[in-house]
Amino acid sequence: MAPKLVALSSLSSLCPFGIPHYQNSALTNLNTYKFHTPKPTLILCKSTEPQTISVSKPDGYGAAAPTRGDIYLQRQQVVAASSTVLATTKKKKKKKDKIFNVSNLAPCCYGCGAPLHTSEVDAPGYVDQETYDLKKKHHQLRKILCGRCRLLSHGHMITAVGGNGGYSGGKQFVSAEELREKLSHLRHEKALIVKLVDIVDFNGSFLARVRDLAGANPIIFVITKVDLLPKETDLNCVGDWVVDATMKKKLNVLSVHLTSSKSLVGISGVVSEIQKEKKGRDVYILGSANVGKSAFINALLNTMSYKDPIAASARKYKPIQSAVPGTTLGPIPIDAFLSGGKLYDTPGVHLHHRQAAVIHAEDLPTLAPQSRLRGQAFPSSGPNLDSQMADRMRSSGLSGLSIFWGGLVRIDVLKGSPRDLFDILWTQGVANSHSAY
């Protein structure tokens, strides 16, 4: 097919660009023409008034989520804050538990453990101002005996403990509960406990809840005043009975010792056991009031002084012994061991059910046994028993019998067979017992 010729005028209608028209030139070659497009011109428009353009942010923008590093740092800050709070609480608790140790730094009477002062004359721990200043100048405040201890050493009966288990006679400067509180720190310390029990009042002075005071510390069980038992007493049988009673009360102890602070019977065995089990710890002597703790410590120092020069020097400033329950009013530290550590005499635990808690202080020396106990069996044909009473005992036994013990106690036997025996032990200071129907 032959090509079709198109006029230039028709091309102008098909092409968007303007085609120049040349009137005097012949179109011999179309390739000689070039098309020129105008260059674009950039026009900037500036506004005289500020405009605010709000652009909506697409999803995923804004505050970023915490990274793993941020979470770790937050946890570390929480742990650090908790540790600070726990350390502060633990420090306060430790400071509270150490109240006894801080208060013990104050100078005390070496006889009773009461803090020294110069204000109240009748109070335990009182020292006149001149003596106090002189001893303080020479750094000898721990070698002072207070006025109350001087009177006690001369036989005066001066009570100082009141409250539940305290005593009604005389002035009351401290309660039995406050004395018990002075021993509460023991369960938080590592110590060796020597528990004393009076053989004359075994059940009354046993302190069944001694673990409340001693905690988990090891205990050496010591029976005192065995010299008060009658001469015919078999100590081996007494020892077996004590061990059996201790096991029934579920008190785990290292060993059991029968002792006498007066005759020093059994004291050397206790010294050997303390030296064996001490292991660098302090030794605390615990027991109920008037059980013989101060006398036992004096016996310990006497026995230890033969081989230990530290114990020999400690004998010069030893605790005061007295028949008044509550003689010791505070823990008394004693340097008694060459290997280190201290021996502590502690306040007695006052129990309201014991005899000393219901009898006036002036009558206590009379009732406190000073020599071996004497006994009497009923029925018996003694000099105070007439023939009519003897015949009735043989026929009907002890039923209806009333026994009067020194005008202090009356025992009524409600029922008993003719083959029953009733034994009574009493001290020398109390009048003989009498019986009647």
Side-chain angles (χ1 to χ4, degrees):
M1 182 177 180
K4 184 178 179 178
L5 297 175
V6 180
L8 290 176
S9 60
S10 63
L11 289 176
S12 61
S13 61
L14 298 176
C15 183
F17 307 104
I19 299 176
H21 295 274
Y22 298 93
Q23 297 178 359
N24 298 326
S25 300
L27 294 176
T28 57
N29 191 358
L30 292 175
N31 293 331
T32 58
Y33 296 99
K34 295 181 180 181
F35 298 93
H36 297 278
T37 57
K39 294 182 178 181
T41 304
L42 181 62
I43 301 174
L44 298 177
C45 299
K46 295 183 178 181
S47 175
T48 58
E49 297 180 359
Q51 296 181 357
T52 303
I53 302 176
S54 61
V55 181
S56 61
K57 296 181 180 180
D59 296 339
Y61 285 84
T67 63
R68 295 178 62 183
D70 295 336
I71 295 175
Y72 175 77
L73 291 177
Q74 292 176 0
R75 289 179 179 176
Q76 292 298 317
Q77 292 175 356
V78 171
V79 171
S82 302
S83 301
T84 304
V85 174
L86 290 176
T88 305
T89 305
K90 187 175 181 181
K91 185 177 180 181
K92 291 181 179 179
K93 184 177 180 181
K94 187 175 181 181
K95 184 178 181 180
K96 184 178 180 180
D97 293 338
K98 292 292 183 179
I99 290 178
F100 161 75
N101 292 334
V102 173
S103 62
N104 192 46
L105 296 177
C108 299
C109 170
Y110 73 82
C112 65
L116 297 177
H117 63 90
T118 59
S119 56
E120 192 173 355
V121 178
D122 296 333
Y126 172 78
V127 182
D128 61 90
Q129 189 68 48
E130 183 180 357
T131 303
Y132 185 88
D133 295 338
L134 181 62
K135 293 293 184 179
K136 184 178 180 180
K137 180 179 179 181
H138 295 87
H139 305 284
Q140 295 180 345
L141 287 178
R142 296 187 179 275
K143 298 180 180 180
I144 296 181
L145 198 65
C146 70
R148 174 176 175 266
C149 287
R150 294 182 184 276
L151 295 176
L152 289 174
S153 62
H154 287 86
H156 294 270
M157 306 300 291
I158 306 175
T159 59
V161 182
N164 187 22
Y167 312 98
S168 57
K171 292 186 177 181
Q172 301 172 355
F173 296 96
V174 63
S175 65
E177 292 77 10
E178 290 174 347
L179 290 183
R180 182 185 285 266
E181 185 63 26
K182 292 184 179 182
L183 303 175
S184 61
H185 72 285
L186 273 179
R187 59 179 176 265
H188 304 297
E189 296 186 4
K190 293 183 178 180
L192 177 62
I193 308 299
V194 180
K195 177 189 175 183
L196 271 57
V197 174
D198 188 352
I199 190 61
V200 179
D201 186 16
F202 182 84
N203 291 320
S205 62
F206 189 84
L207 287 183
R209 301 182 62 181
V210 68
R211 286 295 180 188
D212 294 344
L213 299 175
N217 290 313
I219 296 177
I220 299 176
F221 198 43
V222 175
I223 307 298
T224 61
K225 305 180 182 179
V226 296
D227 60 293
L228 298 178
L229 298 177
K231 289 183 179 181
E232 61 273 11
T233 304
D234 188 352
L235 293 183
N236 292 326
C237 294
V238 174
D240 295 339
W241 173 77
V242 169
V243 171
D244 183 64
T246 304
M247 294 179 63
K248 289 182 179 179
K249 293 180 181 293
K250 299 180 180 180
L251 180 64
N252 297 324
V253 298
L254 298 176
S255 58
V256 177
H257 302 266
L258 303 180
T259 65
S260 170
S261 301
K262 185 176 181 180
S263 61
L264 300 182
V265 172
I267 298 297
S268 59
V270 179
V271 172
S272 300
E273 186 72 10
I274 290 176
Q275 297 290 359
K276 175 184 175 182
E277 300 293 340
K278 182 174 172 293
K279 299 177 182 178
R281 295 174 290 196
D282 293 333
V283 180
Y284 287 81
I285 311 299
L286 290 185
S288 59
N290 211 29
V291 79
K293 294 183 296 298
S294 298
F296 175 76
I297 287 179
N298 293 336
L300 276 183
L301 296 177
N302 290 338
T303 304
M304 295 168 56
S305 61
Y306 294 103
K307 296 182 180 180
D308 195 336
I310 302 296
S313 61
R315 293 176 58 190
K316 186 176 181 181
Y317 303 101
K318 55 188 178 182
I320 289 294
Q321 296 178 227
S322 173
V324 178
T327 299
T328 304
L329 300 177
I332 304 175
I334 304 172
D335 294 322
F337 304 106
L338 186 62
S339 58
K342 292 184 179 297
L343 176 68
Y344 282 89
D345 187 9
T346 62
V349 179
H350 295 259
L351 306 173
H352 67 280
H353 61 269
R354 296 195 67 195
Q355 169 185 285
V358 296
I359 296 177
H360 198 275
E362 296 179 356
D363 298 327
L364 290 177
T366 304
L367 296 175
Q370 303 296 333
S371 59
R372 292 186 182 273
L373 299 175
R374 296 184 297 172
Q376 182 175 349
F378 294 90
S380 66
S381 57
N384 298 329
L385 193 65
D386 56 14
S387 58
Q388 183 179 1
M389 185 175 294
D391 294 338
R392 183 169 180 177
M393 283 185 180
R394 282 191 293 267
S395 60
S396 61
L398 299 178
S399 299
L401 179 68
S402 294
I403 302 173
F404 296 88
W405 182 57
L408 181 66
V409 176
R410 190 186 78 179
I411 303 173
D412 296 330
V413 182
L414 301 180
K415 185 178 181 180
S417 65
R419 291 179 294 181
D420 292 337
L421 271 178
F422 189 73
D423 294 331
I424 293 181
L425 299 176
W426 68 83
T427 62
Q428 188 175 4
V430 180
N432 293 344
S433 59
H434 300 275
S435 57
Y437 280 98

